[in-house]
């Protein structure tokens, strides 16, 4: 597998517009962007309150919930179709949403609560992840078998990296040196050097791998939605060091504490309507907690303290707020249709 690094560098030097071949041409959406030189507005300078954002695939929008009182704040139309994944910037001012059916990423101004740009990245863009400095957005295009790299200042595509068939999961290492991409068609995770943009290793992980996330200690966790297990990758050796069967249709993972125990890796298990908390030695994982959460749990996220879980239910069209200390549901908040992904700004 080869990446055209030289074309990438040439395109950067030429300002993108004249490049072709390995790169997607710039395909801006239907929405105008504010000029880069415009002075910041009062809204842009105001503190950003903590918010829970939920991608609703069947209603093509993003639900917004106050992260302190769990009250609905509003809904943001994605202005595209099949809103699937989300990434929120570290300062909470930008939200990026992939839209499967449109092949576009919606760029959302969180203060204004509106979509301000739409970027075509490739057929069936599936998941998104921000680089550690928030300067680039990487987008996995499941229909094109590529990763698109988007400049988050200009919203222009810097380049495209070919990867394995059907990329469905994406995350970065803590040091930012590597990106990890799961490919459902090849049952592997590819490791991409973020400097050379080359795939440096391919790791067999099991059938239909999807979601990937980096843990607080730097290990890479993934789910095999086509099987029933989760796996753990070493961030240095890039080897699979642990695996555990949690039940059919594992979906996503978040890290939180059970009282003073943890952090545990909480996995939404769609077939069992529960989240399973895993802990112990990474080479010998075991169940440390189980919480019944209702029908169809999919997306999951935790608060910064790791004492709350926010679980999206793609059948019940709701978010449940779970106290991990007691396992009790603190709040249930209605959202749009088929919520898939939930993220929380700090």
């Amino acid at each position: 597998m080869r990446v055209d690094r030289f074309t990438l560098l040439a395109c950067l030097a030429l300002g993108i517009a004249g490049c072709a071949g390995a790169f997607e041409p710039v395909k801006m959406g239907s929405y105008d962007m504010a000029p880069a030189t415009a002075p910041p507005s009062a809204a842009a300078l105001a503190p950003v309150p903590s918010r829970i954002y939920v991608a609703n695939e069947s209603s093509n929008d993003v639900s917004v919930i106050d992260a302190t009182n769990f009250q609905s704040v509003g809904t943001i139309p994605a202005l595209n179709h099949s809103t699937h994944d989300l990434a929120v910037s570290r300062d909470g001012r930008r939200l990026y949403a992939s839209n499967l059916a449109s092949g576009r990423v919606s760029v959302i101004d969180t203060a204004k609560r509106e979509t301000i740009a739409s970027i075509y990245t490739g057929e069936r863009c599936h998941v998104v992840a921000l680089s550690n400095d928030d300067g680039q957005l990487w987008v996995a295009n499941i229909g094109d078998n590529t990763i698109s790299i988007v400049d988050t200042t200009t919203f222009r595509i810097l380049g495209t990296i070919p990867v394995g068939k059907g990329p469905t999961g994406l995350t970065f290492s803590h040091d930012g040196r590597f990106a990890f991409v799961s490919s459902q068609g090849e049952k592997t995770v590819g490791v991409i050097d973020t400097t050379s943009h080359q795939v440096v290793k391919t790791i067999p992980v099991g059938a239909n791998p999807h979601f990937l996330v980096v843990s607080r200690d730097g290990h890479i966790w993934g789910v095999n939605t086509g099987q029933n297990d989760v796996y753990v990758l070493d961030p240095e050796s890039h080897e699979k060091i642990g695996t555990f069967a949690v039940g059919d249709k594992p979906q996503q993972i978040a890290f939180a504490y059970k009282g003073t125990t943890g952090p545990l890796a909480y996995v939404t298990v769609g077939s069992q309507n529960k989240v399973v908390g895993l802990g112990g030695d990474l080479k010998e994982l075991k169940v440390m907690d189980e919480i019944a959460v209702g029908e169809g749990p999919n997306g999951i996220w935790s608060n910064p303290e790791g004492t709350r879980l926010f679980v999206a239910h793609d059948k019940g069209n709701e978010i449940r707020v779970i106290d991990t200390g007691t396992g009790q549901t603190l709040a249930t908040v209605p959202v749009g249709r088929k919520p898939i992904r939930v993220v929380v700004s700090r």
Side-chain angles (χ1 to χ4, degrees):
M1 187 172 296
R2 179 177 181 274
V3 179
D4 194 341
R5 183 187 180 198
F6 298 104
T7 307
L8 171 64
L9 296 175
C11 284
L12 288 171
L14 292 171
I16 303 297
C19 297
F23 290 146
E24 289 285 345
V26 177
K27 300 178 180 177
M28 297 307 299
S30 305
Y31 318 109
D32 294 331
M33 294 180 293
T37 56
S41 64
L45 295 174
V48 179
S50 183
R51 296 284 189 252
I52 302 168
Y53 298 102
V54 185
N56 305 308
E57 187 167 295
S58 293
S59 50
N60 311 314
D61 53 25
V62 176
S63 297
V64 187
I65 300 166
D66 189 308
T68 57
N69 60 22
F70 313 130
Q71 297 296 309
S72 177
V73 173
T75 301
I76 306 170
L79 306 182
N80 282 298
H81 296 286
S82 303
T83 308
H84 188 81
D85 193 28
L86 297 172
V88 62
S89 62
R90 270 70 175 180
D91 64 7
R93 298 184 183 281
R94 286 284 184 272
L95 183 69
Y96 303 89
S98 65
N99 299 274
L100 270 167
S102 302
R104 287 178 171 270
V105 170
S106 301
V107 183
I108 294 171
D109 183 313
T110 58
K112 297 179 179 177
R113 297 210 298 270
E114 65 180 32
T115 296
I116 59 172
S118 175
I119 308 163
Y120 181 83
T121 62
E123 185 178 355
R124 295 183 63 76
C125 65
H126 191 257
V127 291
V128 290
L130 282 162
S131 59
N132 290 359
D133 63 357
D134 280 357
Q136 295 179 349
L137 181 77
W138 287 38
V139 187
N141 306 303
I142 192 172
D144 290 340
N145 306 324
T146 59
I147 300 295
S148 295
I149 303 176
V150 179
D151 185 303
T152 56
T153 300
T154 63
F155 302 157
R156 294 179 180 274
I157 295 175
L158 298 176
T160 303
I161 303 172
V163 294
K165 185 177 180 181
T168 48
L170 179 60
T171 193
F172 289 94
S173 60
H174 270 182
D175 60 11
R177 294 170 55 208
F178 300 101
F180 296 80
V181 182
S182 61
S183 298
Q184 63 176 185
E186 299 185 1
K187 305 177 183 179
T188 62
V189 170
V191 184
I192 300 174
D193 185 309
T194 56
T195 299
S196 68
H197 299 104
Q198 296 201 22
V199 177
V200 296
K201 190 165 184 176
T202 302
I203 310 165
V205 293
N208 206 4
H210 270 67
F211 183 79
L212 287 172
V213 65
V214 61
S215 67
R216 299 184 182 196
D217 66 1
H219 288 86
I220 309 299
W221 289 66
V223 300
N224 283 317
T225 301
Q227 294 184 170
N228 60 3
D229 64 310
V230 302
Y231 53 86
V232 184
L233 306 178
D234 186 289
E236 297 297 329
S237 66
H238 302 156
E239 298 287 345
K240 186 169 73 172
I241 59 173
T243 185
F244 191 88
V246 294
D248 289 340
K249 298 180 180 178
Q251 298 291 343
Q252 298 182 35
I253 303 171
F255 300 93
Y257 289 87
K258 176 71 173 177
T260 58
T261 303
L264 305 181
Y266 281 94
V267 186
T268 48
V269 184
S271 65
Q272 300 181 24
N273 299 329
K274 65 183 181 182
V275 295
V276 175
L278 299 178
D281 189 323
L282 291 176
K283 297 179 180 178
E284 295 184 19
L285 295 170
K286 57 184 178 182
V287 175
M288 304 284 284
D289 193 16
E290 292 187 51
I291 305 173
V293 294
E295 188 175 15
N298 196 322
I300 188 170
W301 195 274
S302 67
N303 62 344
E305 296 79 14
T307 58
R308 303 281 187 273
L309 290 173
F310 309 105
V311 181
H313 294 74
D314 58 23
K315 293 183 180 177
N317 300 330
E318 64 188 22
I319 293 295
R320 294 196 184 189
V321 182
I322 309 295
D323 183 323
T324 54
T326 64
Q328 300 299 308
T329 298
L330 301 177
T332 300
V333 187
V335 295
R337 289 183 286 125
K338 196 179 179 181
I340 294 293
R341 182 74 166 132
V342 54
V343 299
V344 182
S345 65
R346 303 307 188 200

